[in-house]
Amino acid sequence: MENPTVVHESYAFVCMSCGRGWERDYEIHHATDLHGLRLCRYYSEGALVPSPFTKPTCEHCDGTRLRILPAGRVASVAGTPKPVKAVKAEKPSKVPAPRGASRWHLPSLHRSA
């Protein structure tokens, strides 16, 4: 295996289950093995970690519904107020059809020649 090319990247994560956000820095080692296959190894804080794009989980609630954003996005909204919880809409009541109303059928719209 050749000497790896090292790239530093940062990503922001937002959990869609608990609403928490965080950022993490990665050191990514790109290399090619003896068979010509390209390998990527991700390190965070000096430890080998899985790629953030393969089954990421929330650091707070272990949720699996995450959004991955460019670095800086979580910090930029940290001071904004939390969204208001949505209110469940009521189902509209069914309005009865007026008397004598019938459904339109395409054959009844055509005039015979």
Side-chain angles (χ1 to χ4, degrees):
M1 188 167 3
E2 66 180 42
N3 287 337
T5 303
V6 178
V7 178
H8 295 273
E9 292 186 12
S10 298
Y11 297 103
F13 300 88
V14 177
C15 179
M16 303 306 286
S17 297
C18 71
R20 299 217 181 168
W22 67 97
E23 295 189 10
R24 178 168 283 180
D25 297 322
Y26 292 93
E27 187 176 277
I28 307 164
H29 295 230
H30 296 274
T32 305
D33 70 5
L34 297 174
H35 302 287
L37 297 174
R38 295 183 53 110
L39 302 171
C40 288
R41 291 194 174 143
Y42 288 78
Y43 293 86
S44 182
E45 299 176 1
L48 180 64
V49 295
S51 165
F53 302 105
T54 56
K55 298 183 182 179
T57 57
C58 177
E59 295 178 345
H60 304 283
C61 74
D62 292 327
T64 56
R65 294 179 29 213
L66 299 181
R67 294 279 188 250
I68 302 175
L69 307 167
R73 297 295 300 264
V74 173
S76 68
V77 295
T80 59
K82 291 185 179 179
V84 177
K85 206 173 206 180
V87 177
K88 190 174 181 180
E90 295 180 19
K91 290 184 180 180
S93 60
K94 290 187 178 183
V95 178
R99 283 192 149 162
S102 63
R103 294 185 181 189
W104 290 85
H105 297 285
L106 290 178
S108 65
L109 298 176
H110 296 288
R111 292 185 183 178
S112 57

